[in-house]
Amino acid sequence: MQAAQQQRLLENLTQIRLRISDAAARAGRAAEEVRLIAVTKYAAIETAAALVELGCHDLGESRPQQLWQRAEEFADRDVRWHMIGHLQTNKAKRTAPVTSLLHSGDSLRLLEALSAAAVDRPLPILLEINISGDDAKHGIAPDDAAKVLDAAAKLPQLEIQGLMGMAAREGGVDVARRNFAALRELRDSLAKNAPDKVALDELSMGMSGDFEAAIAEGATMVRVGSSLFEGI
Ligand SMILES: *Cc1c(COP(=O)(O)O)cnc(C)c1O
């Protein structure tokens, strides 16, 4: 990576961290309550490495093959890998061991496969909820969430930590904010009747275009890709 690109990456990262802490402050929250997941799916591996050097230790990938490769190449760096994209059941076995948190737990079938694949330690996961109602999106329908949560909580090797969602593509920030509020409300209502040992503390929501709205509605993790790499 050239020095100018490194400088630009540092500026982008600094800007985003500032926007996160401003959004948290406006919501009466501490900046530390919101973790930045740097989504490196479109970034070159050198750029991802530069991000780690700059202190970003949570990296997100949406395609399993790239996650596997990069996890292997970064084995001796301090990186927590987040799987944020749809995962086919037959890829659970290779994905579970290299994933710190899987955000895209979008069907009971996948969750069963992940529990079976997580032999060394329970795998931390989020349930992905289709909050926008967009048919093209993956995710559990909000009405099915309680049922899936109960069944998933019985799987021995999963640690269910919360929910993940994506806002509708259309409608701008106002619609996004309503989608995020709906996810938080769903989390609150599930948490009231949650099975033992399931806390649902984490809310993974917000991307480059809408992470401030997500923080206003309680996001504990934002998944930011394109804004980090602007101009690089
Ligand atoms: C790509 C991706 C992101 C990051 O999106 P940007 O708009 O590039 O910030 C976040 N979440 C998921 C699930 C993604 O696939």
Side-chain angles (χ1 to χ4, degrees):
M1 238 187 149
Q2 294 167 357
Q5 288 177 304
Q6 272 182 26
Q7 183 57 30
R8 183 66 197 256
L9 187 63
L10 174 61
E11 284 165 14
N12 290 352
L13 178 62
T14 306
Q15 271 306 314
I16 286 165
R17 289 207 189 283
L18 260 178
R19 286 171 60 192
I20 289 173
S21 51
D22 284 351
R26 284 197 298 276
R29 308 177 58 202
E32 299 74 47
E33 290 174 37
V34 184
R35 197 168 359 152
L36 172 64
I37 314 297
V39 176
T40 46
K41 65 183 180 201
Y42 300 130
I45 192 153
E46 302 76 46
T47 314
L51 266 178
V52 180
E53 296 289 308
L54 292 173
C56 257
H57 298 282
D58 289 280
L59 303 186
E61 288 286 339
S62 61
R63 277 170 297 157
Q65 286 89 347
Q66 186 157 313
L67 175 76
W68 304 338
Q69 273 169 14
R70 291 186 170 186
E72 199 174 307
E73 293 205 35
F74 283 29
D76 47 13
R77 286 175 219 246
D78 180 15
V79 175
R80 291 179 291 271
W81 288 103
H82 296 253
M83 175 59 185
I84 63 173
H86 175 64
L87 187 67
Q88 289 171 301
T89 312
N90 64 3
K91 303 208 166 64
K93 231 193 184 94
R94 283 193 68 177
T95 303
V98 294
T99 300
S100 285
L101 177 65
L102 182 128
H103 295 232
S104 45
D106 59 10
S107 75
L108 189 56
R109 235 182 103 229
L110 173 63
L111 295 171
E112 286 166 352
L114 287 166
S115 178
V119 282
D120 297 337
R121 42 130 213 188
L123 177 68
I125 62 126
L126 307 177
L127 298 183
E128 180 177 351
I129 308 292
N130 186 350
I131 40 172
S132 68
D134 186 340
D135 286 343
K137 288 217 167 89
H138 291 285
I140 298 159
D143 287 348
D144 296 337
K147 202 176 60 192
V148 174
L149 175 62
D150 280 346
K154 296 194 178 87
L155 297 169
Q157 289 292 83
L158 293 187
E159 187 184 310
I160 306 164
Q161 297 189 341
L163 305 182
M164 181 272 232
M166 276 191 273
R169 245 185 279 267
E170 313 275 319
V173 176
D174 291 344
V175 170
R177 183 152 177 180
R178 257 180 279 141
N179 289 160
F180 297 144
L183 189 67
R184 172 175 42 76
E185 284 158 17
L186 177 64
R187 187 277 305 273
D188 293 347
S189 94
L190 292 173
K192 275 196 203 117
N193 303 304
D196 282 352
K197 289 185 291 182
V198 174
L200 302 181
D201 290 330
E202 305 291 351
L203 275 178
S204 167
M205 53 189 197
M207 323 195 328
S208 290
D210 54 23
F211 68 83
E212 283 141 323
I215 291 168
E217 295 298 341
T220 62
M221 297 182 195
V222 292
R223 309 177 309 271
V224 179
S226 41
S227 298
L228 268 175
F229 306 111
E230 247 166 51
I232 291 170

